[in-house]
Amino acid sequence: MKNNLLILVLLLCWQPALYAELTIEITEGVEGALPIAVVPFSWQGKGTPPEDIAAVINGDLQRSGRFKTLPREDMLARPTSVDGVEFKDWRALGIENLVIGQVQAHGAGGYQIQFQLLDVFRGEQLTGYSIPTTAPNLRSTAHRIADLIYEKLLGVPGAFATRVAYITSTKQADGEMKIKLNIADADGYNSETIVTSTEPLMSPAWSPDGRQIAYVSFEEGQSAIYVQGVYTGTRKKVTSYKGINGAPAWSPDGRKLALTLSKGGNPDIYVYDLTTRKLKTITRHYAIDTEPAWSPDGRSIVFTSDRGGRPQIYRVSAHGGKAQRVTFQNSYNARASFSPDGKLLALVTREEGKYRIAVQDLESGVMQVLSQGSLDESPSFAPNGSMVIYASKAGHRGVLAAVSVDGRVRQRLALQEGDVREPVWSPFNN
């Protein structure tokens, strides 16, 4: 059992990945999703508009699975101001909400985006903003608009303006593997490489402010934990003890990392203070303790341990002490992470011989299996708590998938070719 768990801690099976851009498709949406139309925004400037803002907003809302967007070819009109809206025409199409707007050139390289969200049946405006932006930030501004619409209609903050980190691998012509840590917008666009290595990279983790990523690298022939600036590119080595240096997890205040280290001869959970560089031992057990994750209030840490004979989730004070078992359903539960409100755990559970993503209510202990694959892993909550992203398999390829916490909405995120794995969703403030 210990050997098997060590393999889970240390090893990844890499397949070739040729492209870093992610393609996202909805595989299952909510029955009775809200009908909405996003009309193409008017362009007030020279030449062609630099970005189709309405298309980005429409794509975000459609991919969420919570909205049924109207195709442009089915629109009877394309108004860009309230005065031009014939509400009865949109009611005839069964549309409940309408988004209209304008994009205006504003100074050198600047733009002003104005939008309005309308209630078709009441014939009134629900919200609207005028937002200044720049050419490089047009898509991110469109994502923020989609977030505002999502929150106004569903009462939950949207997560379209966030990013996702993930790992890919490319087999070079000489047979050498090039492994990359990438980040991309939540819709798969604007992918960029943060780290490149010929040795495995694993366990990426966003800092709470979204400005740094901790990860494990084997570039020096053994595992070491690094922290790297997302925007600056600067990085520092945190730990490189003999043996396992793995599974970094940020504390909510961004000052500490929970780690798995075997410096004492056995894999245990430690906390490393990034300011003082002091290390605190959290668990001391002959079993394998790994995959720590902080609670949102910073008071406790959950981790995977086989101290009961098989991998299960345990919880311990962030200062150390006696650990309590959290999971009891199924014989295998691992890789837990907290929902933003601290009420749920996302984890990997084995059910009927298949590894699937589940969420467990911490108060009731009730577990709900969400995914449908046979080898699903690495769950990570969206910062609004509405969905869980995870790694899965499609045939022999590694893909990413996302599922809503109620299991009703499903997405698949895949590279055009090759393999992708170990996703982690960024926080809001990145």
Side-chain angles (χ1 to χ4, degrees), residues 282-303:
I282 303 299
T283 67
R284 293 181 185 271
H285 202 278
Y286 60 83
I288 294 174
D289 296 341
T290 186
E291 300 171 344
W294 294 79
S295 62
D297 62 12
R299 296 179 180 178
S300 62
I301 295 172
V302 293
F303 61 96

mmCIF file with all atom_site columns, all heavy atoms in Angstrom, residues 282-303:
data_model
loop_
_atom_site.group_PDB
_atom_site.id
_atom_site.type_symbol
_atom_site.label_atom_id
_atom_site.label_alt_id
_atom_site.label_comp_id
_atom_site.label_asym_id
_atom_site.label_entity_id
_atom_site.label_seq_id
_atom_site.pdbx_PDB_ins_code
_atom_site.Cartn_x
_atom_site.Cartn_y
_atom_site.Cartn_z
_atom_site.occupancy
_atom_site.B_iso_or_equiv
_atom_site.pdbx_formal_charge
_atom_site.auth_seq_id
_atom_site.auth_comp_id
_atom_site.auth_asym_id
_atom_site.auth_atom_id
_atom_site.pdbx_PDB_model_num
ATOM 1   N N   . ILE A 1 282 ? 3.941   19.046 11.420 1.00 0.00 ? 282 ILE A N   1
ATOM 2   C CA  . ILE A 1 282 ? 2.511   18.983 11.740 1.00 0.00 ? 282 ILE A CA  1
ATOM 3   C C   . ILE A 1 282 ? 2.086   17.566 12.080 1.00 0.00 ? 282 ILE A C   1
ATOM 4   O O   . ILE A 1 282 ? 1.302   17.341 13.006 1.00 0.00 ? 282 ILE A O   1
ATOM 5   C CB  . ILE A 1 282 ? 1.664   19.531 10.573 1.00 0.00 ? 282 ILE A CB  1
ATOM 6   C CG1 . ILE A 1 282 ? 2.081   20.968 10.251 1.00 0.00 ? 282 ILE A CG1 1
ATOM 7   C CG2 . ILE A 1 282 ? 0.179   19.462 10.896 1.00 0.00 ? 282 ILE A CG2 1
ATOM 8   C CD1 . ILE A 1 282 ? 1.894   21.944 11.392 1.00 0.00 ? 282 ILE A CD1 1
ATOM 9   N N   . THR A 1 283 ? 2.570   16.578 11.336 1.00 0.00 ? 283 THR A N   1
ATOM 10  C CA  . THR A 1 283 ? 2.241   15.183 11.640 1.00 0.00 ? 283 THR A CA  1
ATOM 11  C C   . THR A 1 283 ? 3.522   14.386 11.869 1.00 0.00 ? 283 THR A C   1
ATOM 12  O O   . THR A 1 283 ? 4.554   14.639 11.234 1.00 0.00 ? 283 THR A O   1
ATOM 13  C CB  . THR A 1 283 ? 1.426   14.515 10.512 1.00 0.00 ? 283 THR A CB  1
ATOM 14  O OG1 . THR A 1 283 ? 2.240   14.374 9.331  1.00 0.00 ? 283 THR A OG1 1
ATOM 15  C CG2 . THR A 1 283 ? 0.188   15.333 10.177 1.00 0.00 ? 283 THR A CG2 1
ATOM 16  N N   . ARG A 1 284 ? 3.426   13.424 12.773 1.00 0.00 ? 284 ARG A N   1
ATOM 17  C CA  . ARG A 1 284 ? 4.510   12.460 13.007 1.00 0.00 ? 284 ARG A CA  1
ATOM 18  C C   . ARG A 1 284 ? 3.866   11.088 13.094 1.00 0.00 ? 284 ARG A C   1
ATOM 19  O O   . ARG A 1 284 ? 3.229   10.761 14.099 1.00 0.00 ? 284 ARG A O   1
ATOM 20  C CB  . ARG A 1 284 ? 5.248   12.762 14.309 1.00 0.00 ? 284 ARG A CB  1
ATOM 21  C CG  . ARG A 1 284 ? 6.032   14.057 14.333 1.00 0.00 ? 284 ARG A CG  1
ATOM 22  C CD  . ARG A 1 284 ? 6.731   14.243 15.665 1.00 0.00 ? 284 ARG A CD  1
ATOM 23  N NE  . ARG A 1 284 ? 7.401   15.516 15.786 1.00 0.00 ? 284 ARG A NE  1
ATOM 24  C CZ  . ARG A 1 284 ? 8.649   15.759 15.419 1.00 0.00 ? 284 ARG A CZ  1
ATOM 25  N NH1 . ARG A 1 284 ? 9.363   14.763 14.900 1.00 0.00 ? 284 ARG A NH1 1
ATOM 26  N NH2 . ARG A 1 284 ? 9.192   16.945 15.573 1.00 0.00 ? 284 ARG A NH2 1
ATOM 27  N N   . HIS A 1 285 ? 3.997   10.309 12.046 1.00 0.00 ? 285 HIS A N   1
ATOM 28  C CA  . HIS A 1 285 ? 3.329   9.008  12.015 1.00 0.00 ? 285 HIS A CA  1
ATOM 29  C C   . HIS A 1 285 ? 4.114   8.074  11.110 1.00 0.00 ? 285 HIS A C   1
ATOM 30  O O   . HIS A 1 285 ? 4.750   8.520  10.143 1.00 0.00 ? 285 HIS A O   1
ATOM 31  C CB  . HIS A 1 285 ? 1.886   9.164  11.513 1.00 0.00 ? 285 HIS A CB  1
ATOM 32  C CG  . HIS A 1 285 ? 0.988   8.049  11.924 1.00 0.00 ? 285 HIS A CG  1
ATOM 33  N ND1 . HIS A 1 285 ? 0.929   6.861  11.244 1.00 0.00 ? 285 HIS A ND1 1
ATOM 34  C CD2 . HIS A 1 285 ? 0.094   7.955  12.939 1.00 0.00 ? 285 HIS A CD2 1
ATOM 35  C CE1 . HIS A 1 285 ? 0.028   6.068  11.838 1.00 0.00 ? 285 HIS A CE1 1
ATOM 36  N NE2 . HIS A 1 285 ? -0.489  6.710  12.862 1.00 0.00 ? 285 HIS A NE2 1
ATOM 37  N N   . TYR A 1 286 ? 4.059   6.790  11.416 1.00 0.00 ? 286 TYR A N   1
ATOM 38  C CA  . TYR A 1 286 ? 4.772   5.818  10.589 1.00 0.00 ? 286 TYR A CA  1
ATOM 39  C C   . TYR A 1 286 ? 4.102   5.624  9.234  1.00 0.00 ? 286 TYR A C   1
ATOM 40  O O   . TYR A 1 286 ? 4.701   5.078  8.309  1.00 0.00 ? 286 TYR A O   1
ATOM 41  C CB  . TYR A 1 286 ? 4.856   4.467  11.314 1.00 0.00 ? 286 TYR A CB  1
ATOM 42  C CG  . TYR A 1 286 ? 3.510   3.854  11.636 1.00 0.00 ? 286 TYR A CG  1
ATOM 43  C CD1 . TYR A 1 286 ? 2.811   3.124  10.692 1.00 0.00 ? 286 TYR A CD1 1
ATOM 44  C CD2 . TYR A 1 286 ? 2.953   4.014  12.906 1.00 0.00 ? 286 TYR A CD2 1
ATOM 45  C CE1 . TYR A 1 286 ? 1.577   2.566  10.985 1.00 0.00 ? 286 TYR A CE1 1
ATOM 46  C CE2 . TYR A 1 286 ? 1.726   3.456  13.209 1.00 0.00 ? 286 TYR A CE2 1
ATOM 47  C CZ  . TYR A 1 286 ? 1.034   2.732  12.245 1.00 0.00 ? 286 TYR A CZ  1
ATOM 48  O OH  . TYR A 1 286 ? -0.182  2.186  12.542 1.00 0.00 ? 286 TYR A OH  1
ATOM 49  N N   . ALA A 1 287 ? 2.852   6.083  9.100  1.00 0.00 ? 287 ALA A N   1
ATOM 50  C CA  . ALA A 1 287 ? 2.148   5.984  7.820  1.00 0.00 ? 287 ALA A CA  1
ATOM 51  C C   . ALA A 1 287 ? 2.630   7.071  6.859  1.00 0.00 ? 287 ALA A C   1
ATOM 52  O O   . ALA A 1 287 ? 3.453   7.917  7.210  1.00 0.00 ? 287 ALA A O   1
ATOM 53  C CB  . ALA A 1 287 ? 0.642   6.108  8.038  1.00 0.00 ? 287 ALA A CB  1
ATOM 54  N N   . ILE A 1 288 ? 2.120   7.046  5.637  1.00 0.00 ? 288 ILE A N   1
ATOM 55  C CA  . ILE A 1 288 ? 2.429   8.076  4.656  1.00 0.00 ? 288 ILE A CA  1
ATOM 56  C C   . ILE A 1 288 ? 1.371   9.169  4.752  1.00 0.00 ? 288 ILE A C   1
ATOM 57  O O   . ILE A 1 288 ? 0.184   8.917  4.525  1.00 0.00 ? 288 ILE A O   1
ATOM 58  C CB  . ILE A 1 288 ? 2.459   7.495  3.227  1.00 0.00 ? 288 ILE A CB  1
ATOM 59  C CG1 . ILE A 1 288 ? 3.617   6.504  3.089  1.00 0.00 ? 288 ILE A CG1 1
ATOM 60  C CG2 . ILE A 1 288 ? 2.566   8.604  2.192  1.00 0.00 ? 288 ILE A CG2 1
ATOM 61  C CD1 . ILE A 1 288 ? 3.641   5.769  1.775  1.00 0.00 ? 288 ILE A CD1 1
ATOM 62  N N   . ASP A 1 289 ? 1.782   10.385 5.102  1.00 0.00 ? 289 ASP A N   1
ATOM 63  C CA  . ASP A 1 289 ? 0.905   11.550 5.146  1.00 0.00 ? 289 ASP A CA  1
ATOM 64  C C   . ASP A 1 289 ? 1.298   12.485 4.002  1.00 0.00 ? 289 ASP A C   1
ATOM 65  O O   . ASP A 1 289 ? 2.470   12.868 3.886  1.00 0.00 ? 289 ASP A O   1
ATOM 66  C CB  . ASP A 1 289 ? 1.041   12.292 6.477  1.00 0.00 ? 289 ASP A CB  1
ATOM 67  C CG  . ASP A 1 289 ? 0.582   11.449 7.669  1.00 0.00 ? 289 ASP A CG  1
ATOM 68  O OD1 . ASP A 1 289 ? -0.158  10.467 7.446  1.00 0.00 ? 289 ASP A OD1 1
ATOM 69  O OD2 . ASP A 1 289 ? 0.966   11.780 8.802  1.00 0.00 ? 289 ASP A OD2 1
ATOM 70  N N   . THR A 1 290 ? 0.330   12.855 3.174  1.00 0.00 ? 290 THR A N   1
ATOM 71  C CA  . THR A 1 290 ? 0.654   13.634 1.986  1.00 0.00 ? 290 THR A CA  1
ATOM 72  C C   . THR A 1 290 ? -0.559  14.469 1.557  1.00 0.00 ? 290 THR A C   1
ATOM 73  O O   . THR A 1 290 ? -1.625  14.428 2.175  1.00 0.00 ? 290 THR A O   1
ATOM 74  C CB  . THR A 1 290 ? 1.113   12.717 0.837  1.00 0.00 ? 290 THR A CB  1
ATOM 75  O OG1 . THR A 1 290 ? 1.546   13.524 -0.269 1.00 0.00 ? 290 THR A OG1 1
ATOM 76  C CG2 . THR A 1 290 ? 0.010   11.776 0.391  1.00 0.00 ? 290 THR A CG2 1
ATOM 77  N N   . GLU A 1 291 ? -0.380  15.274 0.501  1.00 0.00 ? 291 GLU A N   1
ATOM 78  C CA  . GLU A 1 291 ? -1.436  16.075 -0.132 1.00 0.00 ? 291 GLU A CA  1
ATOM 79  C C   . GLU A 1 291 ? -2.176  16.988 0.860  1.00 0.00 ? 291 GLU A C   1
ATOM 80  O O   . GLU A 1 291 ? -3.387  16.911 1.006  1.00 0.00 ? 291 GLU A O   1
ATOM 81  C CB  . GLU A 1 291 ? -2.430  15.150 -0.850 1.00 0.00 ? 291 GLU A CB  1
ATOM 82  C CG  . GLU A 1 291 ? -1.789  14.322 -1.937 1.00 0.00 ? 291 GLU A CG  1
ATOM 83  C CD  . GLU A 1 291 ? -2.703  13.254 -2.505 1.00 0.00 ? 291 GLU A CD  1
ATOM 84  O OE1 . GLU A 1 291 ? -3.742  12.942 -1.873 1.00 0.00 ? 291 GLU A OE1 1
ATOM 85  O OE2 . GLU A 1 291 ? -2.386  12.729 -3.581 1.00 0.00 ? 291 GLU A OE2 1
ATOM 86  N N   . PRO A 1 292 ? -1.472  17.887 1.535  1.00 0.00 ? 292 PRO A N   1
ATOM 87  C CA  . PRO A 1 292 ? -2.140  18.790 2.471  1.00 0.00 ? 292 PRO A CA  1
ATOM 88  C C   . PRO A 1 292 ? -2.949  19.866 1.749  1.00 0.00 ? 292 PRO A C   1
ATOM 89  O O   . PRO A 1 292 ? -2.642  20.244 0.615  1.00 0.00 ? 292 PRO A O   1
ATOM 90  C CB  . PRO A 1 292 ? -0.974  19.420 3.236  1.00 0.00 ? 292 PRO A CB  1
ATOM 91  C CG  . PRO A 1 292 ? 0.150   19.408 2.254  1.00 0.00 ? 292 PRO A CG  1
ATOM 92  C CD  . PRO A 1 292 ? -0.016  18.136 1.474  1.00 0.00 ? 292 PRO A CD  1
ATOM 93  N N   . ALA A 1 293 ? -3.984  20.361 2.415  1.00 0.00 ? 293 ALA A N   1
ATOM 94  C CA  . ALA A 1 293 ? -4.783  21.485 1.914  1.00 0.00 ? 293 ALA A CA  1
ATOM 95  C C   . ALA A 1 293 ? -5.316  22.264 3.107  1.00 0.00 ? 293 ALA A C   1
ATOM 96  O O   . ALA A 1 293 ? -5.836  21.674 4.056  1.00 0.00 ? 293 ALA A O   1
ATOM 97  C CB  . ALA A 1 293 ? -5.935  20.995 1.037  1.00 0.00 ? 293 ALA A CB  1
ATOM 98  N N   . TRP A 1 294 ? -5.199  23.585 3.070  1.00 0.00 ? 294 TRP A N   1
ATOM 99  C CA  . TRP A 1 294 ? -5.626  24.432 4.177  1.00 0.00 ? 294 TRP A CA  1
ATOM 100 C C   . TRP A 1 294 ? -7.131  24.681 4.133  1.00 0.00 ? 294 TRP A C   1
ATOM 101 O O   . TRP A 1 294 ? -7.722  24.825 3.059  1.00 0.00 ? 294 TRP A O   1
ATOM 102 C CB  . TRP A 1 294 ? -4.935  25.789 4.108  1.00 0.00 ? 294 TRP A CB  1
ATOM 103 C CG  . TRP A 1 294 ? -3.464  25.760 4.323  1.00 0.00 ? 294 TRP A CG  1
ATOM 104 C CD1 . TRP A 1 294 ? -2.509  25.396 3.406  1.00 0.00 ? 294 TRP A CD1 1
ATOM 105 C CD2 . TRP A 1 294 ? -2.756  26.128 5.517  1.00 0.00 ? 294 TRP A CD2 1
ATOM 106 N NE1 . TRP A 1 294 ? -1.264  25.518 3.957  1.00 0.00 ? 294 TRP A NE1 1
ATOM 107 C CE2 . TRP A 1 294 ? -1.372  25.966 5.242  1.00 0.00 ? 294 TRP A CE2 1
ATOM 108 C CE3 . TRP A 1 294 ? -3.147  26.578 6.770  1.00 0.00 ? 294 TRP A CE3 1
ATOM 109 C CZ2 . TRP A 1 294 ? -0.395  26.240 6.184  1.00 0.00 ? 294 TRP A CZ2 1
ATOM 110 C CZ3 . TRP A 1 294 ? -2.172  26.859 7.714  1.00 0.00 ? 294 TRP A CZ3 1
ATOM 111 C CH2 . TRP A 1 294 ? -0.815  26.690 7.425  1.00 0.00 ? 294 TRP A CH2 1
ATOM 112 N N   . SER A 1 295 ? -7.722  24.805 5.298  1.00 0.00 ? 295 SER A N   1
ATOM 113 C CA  . SER A 1 295 ? -9.092  25.286 5.381  1.00 0.00 ? 295 SER A CA  1
ATOM 114 C C   . SER A 1 295 ? -9.088  26.783 5.100  1.00 0.00 ? 295 SER A C   1
ATOM 115 O O   . SER A 1 295 ? -8.084  27.463 5.329  1.00 0.00 ? 295 SER A O   1
ATOM 116 C CB  . SER A 1 295 ? -9.675  25.016 6.767  1.00 0.00 ? 295 SER A CB  1
ATOM 117 O OG  . SER A 1 295 ? -8.946  25.713 7.766  1.00 0.00 ? 295 SER A OG  1
ATOM 118 N N   . PRO A 1 296 ? -10.199 27.346 4.587  1.00 0.00 ? 296 PRO A N   1
ATOM 119 C CA  . PRO A 1 296 ? -10.225 28.771 4.257  1.00 0.00 ? 296 PRO A CA  1
ATOM 120 C C   . PRO A 1 296 ? -9.946  29.689 5.441  1.00 0.00 ? 296 PRO A C   1
ATOM 121 O O   . PRO A 1 296 ? -9.433  30.797 5.255  1.00 0.00 ? 296 PRO A O   1
ATOM 122 C CB  . PRO A 1 296 ? -11.648 28.977 3.720  1.00 0.00 ? 296 PRO A CB  1
ATOM 123 C CG  . PRO A 1 296 ? -12.038 27.648 3.182  1.00 0.00 ? 296 PRO A CG  1
ATOM 124 C CD  . PRO A 1 296 ? -11.418 26.655 4.127  1.00 0.00 ? 296 PRO A CD  1
ATOM 125 N N   . ASP A 1 297 ? -10.255 29.249 6.659  1.00 0.00 ? 297 ASP A N   1
ATOM 126 C CA  . ASP A 1 297 ? -9.982  30.089 7.825  1.00 0.00 ? 297 ASP A CA  1
ATOM 127 C C   . ASP A 1 297 ? -8.558  29.927 8.348  1.00 0.00 ? 297 ASP A C   1
ATOM 128 O O   . ASP A 1 297 ? -8.146  30.608 9.301  1.00 0.00 ? 297 ASP A O   1
ATOM 129 C CB  . ASP A 1 297 ? -10.987 29.824 8.949  1.00 0.00 ? 297 ASP A CB  1
ATOM 130 C CG  . ASP A 1 297 ? -10.946 28.386 9.474  1.00 0.00 ? 297 ASP A CG  1
ATOM 131 O OD1 . ASP A 1 297 ? -9.999  27.639 9.132  1.00 0.00 ? 297 ASP A OD1 1
ATOM 132 O OD2 . ASP A 1 297 ? -11.872 28.007 10.216 1.00 0.00 ? 297 ASP A OD2 1
ATOM 133 N N   . GLY A 1 298 ? -7.773  29.026 7.729  1.00 0.00 ? 298 GLY A N   1
ATOM 134 C CA  . GLY A 1 298 ? -6.381  28.840 8.099  1.00 0.00 ? 298 GLY A CA  1
ATOM 135 C C   . GLY A 1 298 ? -6.151  28.080 9.391  1.00 0.00 ? 298 GLY A C   1
ATOM 136 O O   . GLY A 1 298 ? -5.015  27.932 9.831  1.00 0.00 ? 298 GLY A O   1
ATOM 137 N N   . ARG A 1 299 ? -7.209  27.567 10.002 1.00 0.00 ? 299 ARG A N   1
ATOM 138 C CA  . ARG A 1 299 ? -7.067  26.918 11.302 1.00 0.00 ? 299 ARG A CA  1
ATOM 139 C C   . ARG A 1 299 ? -6.709  25.442 11.226 1.00 0.00 ? 299 ARG A C   1
ATOM 140 O O   . ARG A 1 299 ? -6.194  24.882 12.178 1.00 0.00 ? 299 ARG A O   1
ATOM 141 C CB  . ARG A 1 299 ? -8.368  27.086 12.102 1.00 0.00 ? 299 ARG A CB  1
ATOM 142 C CG  . ARG A 1 299 ? -8.700  28.531 12.446 1.00 0.00 ? 299 ARG A CG  1
ATOM 143 C CD  . ARG A 1 299 ? -10.010 28.607 13.209 1.00 0.00 ? 299 ARG A CD  1
ATOM 144 N NE  . ARG A 1 299 ? -10.353 29.996 13.546 1.00 0.00 ? 299 ARG A NE  1
ATOM 145 C CZ  . ARG A 1 299 ? -11.459 30.349 14.176 1.00 0.00 ? 299 ARG A CZ  1
ATOM 146 N NH1 . ARG A 1 299 ? -12.339 29.416 14.546 1.00 0.00 ? 299 ARG A NH1 1
ATOM 147 N NH2 . ARG A 1 299 ? -11.694 31.634 14.440 1.00 0.00 ? 299 ARG A NH2 1
ATOM 148 N N   . SER A 1 300 ? -7.008  24.814 10.109 1.00 0.00 ? 300 SER A N   1
ATOM 149 C CA  . SER A 1 300 ? -6.755  23.376 10.018 1.00 0.00 ? 300 SER A CA  1
ATOM 150 C C   . SER A 1 300 ? -6.265  22.992 8.630  1.00 0.00 ? 300 SER A C   1
ATOM 151 O O   . SER A 1 300 ? -6.346  23.783 7.681  1.00 0.00 ? 300 SER A O   1
ATOM 152 C CB  . SER A 1 300 ? -8.025  22.584 10.369 1.00 0.00 ? 300 SER A CB  1
ATOM 153 O OG  . SER A 1 300 ? -9.063  22.869 9.449  1.00 0.00 ? 300 SER A OG  1
ATOM 154 N N   . ILE A 1 301 ? -5.755  21.777 8.544  1.00 0.00 ? 301 ILE A N   1
ATOM 155 C CA  . ILE A 1 301 ? -5.230  21.228 7.299  1.00 0.00 ? 301 ILE A CA  1
ATOM 156 C C   . ILE A 1 301 ? -5.799  19.828 7.116  1.00 0.00 ? 301 ILE A C   1
ATOM 157 O O   . ILE A 1 301 ? -5.810  19.029 8.064  1.00 0.00 ? 301 ILE A O   1
ATOM 158 C CB  . ILE A 1 301 ? -3.692  21.158 7.333  1.00 0.00 ? 301 ILE A CB  1
ATOM 159 C CG1 . ILE A 1 301 ? -3.096  22.576 7.397  1.00 0.00 ? 301 ILE A CG1 1
ATOM 160 C CG2 . ILE A 1 301 ? -3.139  20.401 6.130  1.00 0.00 ? 301 ILE A CG2 1
ATOM 161 C CD1 . ILE A 1 301 ? -1.590  22.595 7.636  1.00 0.00 ? 301 ILE A CD1 1
ATOM 162 N N   . VAL A 1 302 ? -6.292  19.536 5.933  1.00 0.00 ? 302 VAL A N   1
ATOM 163 C CA  . VAL A 1 302 ? -6.668  18.162 5.615  1.00 0.00 ? 302 VAL A CA  1
ATOM 164 C C   . VAL A 1 302 ? -5.543  17.539 4.807  1.00 0.00 ? 302 VAL A C   1
ATOM 165 O O   . VAL A 1 302 ? -4.788  18.233 4.116  1.00 0.00 ? 302 VAL A O   1
ATOM 166 C CB  . VAL A 1 302 ? -7.998  18.070 4.824  1.00 0.00 ? 302 VAL A CB  1
ATOM 167 C CG1 . VAL A 1 302 ? -9.167  18.519 5.678  1.00 0.00 ? 302 VAL A CG1 1
ATOM 168 C CG2 . VAL A 1 302 ? -7.936  18.863 3.531  1.00 0.00 ? 302 VAL A CG2 1
ATOM 169 N N   . PHE A 1 303 ? -5.401  16.222 4.885  1.00 0.00 ? 303 PHE A N   1
ATOM 170 C CA  . PHE A 1 303 ? -4.339  15.537 4.159  1.00 0.00 ? 303 PHE A CA  1
ATOM 171 C C   . PHE A 1 303 ? -4.749  14.089 3.921  1.00 0.00 ? 303 PHE A C   1
ATOM 172 O O   . PHE A 1 303 ? -5.690  13.572 4.542  1.00 0.00 ? 303 PHE A O   1
ATOM 173 C CB  . PHE A 1 303 ? -3.018  15.612 4.934  1.00 0.00 ? 303 PHE A CB  1
ATOM 174 C CG  . PHE A 1 303 ? -3.053  14.960 6.299  1.00 0.00 ? 303 PHE A CG  1
ATOM 175 C CD1 . PHE A 1 303 ? -2.605  13.660 6.482  1.00 0.00 ? 303 PHE A CD1 1
ATOM 176 C CD2 . PHE A 1 303 ? -3.533  15.660 7.405  1.00 0.00 ? 303 PHE A CD2 1
ATOM 177 C CE1 . PHE A 1 303 ? -2.626  13.062 7.737  1.00 0.00 ? 303 PHE A CE1 1
ATOM 178 C CE2 . PHE A 1 303 ? -3.558  15.075 8.660  1.00 0.00 ? 303 PHE A CE2 1
ATOM 179 C CZ  . PHE A 1 303 ? -3.107  13.775 8.833  1.00 0.00 ? 303 PHE A CZ  1
#
